[in-house]
Amino acid sequence: MTKTIEDLIPDYLRGLPMYVPGRPIEDVERELKIVAIKVASNENPLGPSPMAMEAVKGALGEANRYPDGGTHRLREKLAKLHGVHEDEIFVGLGSSELIDLAARVLLRSGKSGVTSEGSYAPFSIAIRANNAELRLAPLREFTFDLRAIAAKVTGDTAVIYLANPNNPTGTAFGHAEFAELLARVPESVLVVLDEAYVHYADRVDMPRSMELTRERKNLLVLRTFSKVYGLAGLRMGYGVGPRALVTAMNKLRTPFNVSGLGQVAAVAALNDAEHVRRSIEANRAERNGLHEGLTALGLRPVRSETNFIFIEIGPEANAISEELLRLGVIVRPLGWMGMAEALRVSVGTAEENGKLLNALALVCERRAGKSELASR
């Protein structure tokens, strides 16, 4: 019998879940004929770095040219910033490309990768997509249990994925806990530490990750320009780690993987300390107010170290997200991540947060009314 393309797809890819992005505002507004706000994808509500925008405008005239395939200027700047060699830096499409490439380099059938339940979905996808065994440790009070993660490591483990602060729960672990994990993990196991939200963390004992990259040869630290720098649409991120790993990842990446406009924007954004400061301060103030507002509605938000808040809702979480959608508020239901009783809401501007709280109050009021009628 003649085989089809479908027959050639490996079995381990057939059941692989797809990453589910937050719904675009344009789609919701077109479908529902309403004006909407999006507090679902943890974007910077202040917008891009102004210096990055100016740099992109100046570089647009060179868009007919291929970009610098080696990202030399950006890597040089990052190397000076973090006190490492340029060859220890990989620049990619946000953090996502690095998560994928690290797995492609190190994982295969017969190997295993470890991460936590209730964490960033691409970690598990990257492990499974390379035909490796996925091992999950449970969360402890919405935070990574690093000792439980270390206990999952065996002789066939090649990669551990950690997000700190964690997405979607917003919690973080400290330096001492992380150093203990590193001491327990063999140097043959790569530890990938995704710090996409690290700029927003208020915790004073956050891991001194870049310092640790100079001490450990099995640590890859990921950073992104998508969050505090406001460049999510340009898809720029980078990793700092072992030179041999970076070399191998460069062999697998596509040529010219990041655009020239993205590169000049990233370089300029690194110089824009004022935009970073304003983004962090605005997020802290609005996050605190949003947490208080959610609590006042009788909800159970988890204290966050990020630019979003995780909320335990209950079995009606998905239904509530749909009701909010019809009120013009796009939030992130987490059922697709195995957390069917929770929502994640991004910290927006004061106006956006106000609209979110008002919509939630209306939904809660309606539900309380229906419950009262049903009990009569």
Side-chain angles (χ1 to χ4, degrees):
M1 185 173 65
T2 304
K3 287 190 175 183
T4 66
I5 294 297
E6 185 177 354
D7 295 324
L8 299 178
I9 298 173
D11 288 340
Y12 64 88
L13 292 182
R14 292 179 187 274
L16 200 65
M18 289 183 63
Y19 181 80
V20 180
R23 290 194 63 181
I25 292 178
E26 296 82 2
D27 285 1
V28 172
E29 292 184 333
R30 183 172 57 251
E31 177 186 331
L32 300 179
K33 307 294 189 296
I34 57 174
V35 176
I37 63 166
K38 183 181 179 183
V39 283
S41 298
N42 310 336
E43 296 147 337
N44 187 333
L46 300 190
S49 152
M51 291 177 66
M53 287 194 286
E54 286 302 312
V56 167
K57 291 176 185 176
L60 194 56
E62 295 295 315
N64 60 310
R65 305 293 182 188
Y66 284 106
D68 173 10
T71 61
H72 291 97
R73 187 178 170 209
L74 178 55
R75 287 193 300 115
E76 180 182 28
K77 191 169 188 65
L78 290 168
K80 289 179 181 177
L81 176 66
H82 296 303
V84 297
H85 193 277
E86 290 176 43
D87 291 344
E88 296 171 313
I89 296 174
F90 181 98
V91 175
L93 297 166
S95 301
S96 304
E97 184 180 21
L98 285 87
I99 292 166
D100 176 63
L101 287 177
R104 288 176 61 194
V105 169
L106 299 174
L107 293 176
R108 57 189 178 275
S109 177
K111 294 291 186 179
S112 69
V114 178
T115 188
S116 177
E117 296 176 350
S119 190
Y120 191 44
F123 295 162
S124 296
I125 292 172
I127 294 168
R128 292 179 58 189
N130 288 279
N131 203 19
E133 179 188 350
L134 170 63
R135 294 185 187 149
L136 295 170
L139 287 171
R140 177 168 45 84
E141 297 180 353
F142 304 105
T143 306
F144 279 1
D145 185 338
L146 296 188
R147 291 184 178 179
I149 286 173
K152 294 285 184 181
V153 175
T154 64
D156 62 14
T157 303
V159 181
I160 298 172
Y161 284 106
L162 307 172
N164 197 47
N166 182 40
N167 177 14
T169 62
T171 56
F173 52 78
H175 183 84
E177 299 167 79
F178 185 55
E180 179 186 338
L181 171 81
L182 290 176
R184 295 180 63 184
V185 172
E187 288 201 356
S188 59
V189 177
L190 177 70
V191 178
V192 180
L193 181 65
D194 185 348
E195 294 189 322
Y197 300 94
V198 70
H199 296 91
Y200 294 116
D202 284 337
R203 183 168 178 160
V204 296
D205 65 336
M206 291 292 288
R208 299 187 292 278
S209 57
M210 293 302 174
E211 175 185 312
L212 290 169
T213 63
R214 297 190 287 273
E215 300 172 5
R216 303 283 305 195
K217 299 304 179 187
N218 64 328
L219 176 61
L220 176 66
V221 176
L222 309 185
R223 296 282 178 90
T224 183
F225 290 92
S226 297
K227 306 305 176 184
V228 79
Y229 297 107
L231 301 179
L234 292 180
R235 310 304 304 124
M236 293 294 296
Y238 66 96
V240 177
R243 192 173 307 192
L245 175 67
V246 170
T247 299
M249 289 167 65
N250 272 309
K251 291 177 180 179
L252 290 179
R253 69 172 172 84
T254 57
F256 311 110
N257 61 324
V258 291
S259 71
L261 296 180
Q263 291 182 49
V264 298
V267 170
L270 288 171
N271 292 327
D272 199 345
E274 175 60 19
H275 181 69
V276 171
R277 183 193 64 76
R278 287 195 311 114
S279 297
I280 293 171
E281 290 182 358
N283 180 76
R284 181 181 295 119
E286 290 302 323
R287 181 179 63 196
N288 290 341
L290 185 56
H291 185 99
E292 291 173 4
L294 293 168
T295 303
L297 290 173
L299 300 173
R300 302 187 300 276
V302 173
R303 184 62 64 180
S304 175
E305 300 284 348
T306 64
N307 67 340
F308 59 84
I309 296 178
F310 178 93
I311 315 167
E312 279 192 293
I313 296 287
E316 67 275 20
N318 194 64
I320 288 176
S321 74
E322 288 296 321
E323 290 180 51
L324 289 172
L325 189 67
R326 278 154 179 74
L327 292 172
V329 178
I330 309 169
V331 300
R332 196 80 148 111
L334 299 175
W336 70 283
M337 292 182 66
M339 306 175 86
E341 297 192 356
L343 298 177
R344 191 191 68 195
V345 297
S346 305
V347 178
T349 62
E351 181 181 359
E352 289 170 335
N353 295 333
K355 182 170 182 177
L356 166 62
L357 289 172
N358 288 337
L360 267 170
L362 180 58
V363 169
C364 291
E365 183 180 333
R366 287 175 180 173
R367 289 183 159 266
K370 288 179 182 178
S371 185
E372 184 180 337
L373 285 172
S375 66
R376 289 177 182 175

